[in-house]
Amino acid sequence: VQLQASGGGLVQAGGSLRLSCTASGRTLSNYAVGWFRQAPGKEREFVAAVRLNTGNTYYADSMKGRFTISRDNAKNTVYLQMNGLSPEDTAVYYCAATLRSLTIVTMNYDFWGQGTQVTVSS
């Protein structure tokens, strides 16, 4: 499965962005899709994940209440709505897919998109 992440950009603190992760080559219906982010000089960290067939979601504690992950099975797309952004959210955001259960572990994801840059100015 090929994943294409998009929707990043430059936004002021307090603003919002919606990222999209669109799959091709295979339906995501049996996959879990996660969003991760990596800031310069830091390790890649888990943001949120959704199981496509059940809609079950899981969030990193620091993202709860600000970020919302959702999916559109018909479009084979997963979204990440990000509100209340701060400069600390600046990072490259990646989406990834796995046939395993919902997981926050980076190495459990088998397919990765190319990443989309999110920059939040103060």
Side-chain angles (χ1 to χ4, degrees), residues 35-39 42-47 62-63 66-67 82 85-86 88-94 112:
W35 284 98
F36 294 79
R37 69 184 186 183
Q38 189 166 18
K42 294 187 177 181
E43 293 187 354
R44 192 168 298 187
E45 66 172 337
F46 172 79
V47 174
S62 60
M63 316 301 171
R66 295 193 304 127
F67 292 6
M82 305 186 295
L85 287 165
S86 71
E88 290 69 35
D89 295 313
T90 295
V92 177
Y93 284 71
Y94 299 88
W112 290 83

Side-chain angles (χ1 to χ4, degrees), residues 33-100:
V33 173
W35 284 98
F36 294 79
R37 69 184 186 183
Q38 189 166 18
K42 294 187 177 181
E43 293 187 354
R44 192 168 298 187
E45 66 172 337
F46 172 79
V47 174
V50 61
R51 187 78 194 169
L52 273 289
N53 54 359
T54 63
N56 291 342
T57 59
Y58 189 80
Y59 294 89
D61 287 342
S62 60
M63 316 301 171
K64 290 179 181 177
R66 295 193 304 127
F67 292 6
T68 303
I69 191 169
S70 61
R71 91 282 196 212
D72 185 332
N73 288 8
K75 294 183 178 180
N76 224 22
T77 298
V78 172
Y79 303 99
L80 184 69
Q81 177 67 43
M82 305 186 295
N83 299 326
L85 287 165
S86 71
E88 290 69 35
D89 295 313
T90 295
V92 177
Y93 284 71
Y94 299 88
C95 61
T98 178
L99 285 169
R100 299 176 178 87

Side-chain angles (χ1 to χ4, degrees), residues 100-111:
R100 299 176 178 87
S101 302
L102 279 179
T103 174
I104 68 171
V105 179
T106 306
M107 64 170 28
N108 285 347
Y109 286 82
D110 303 304
F111 306 97

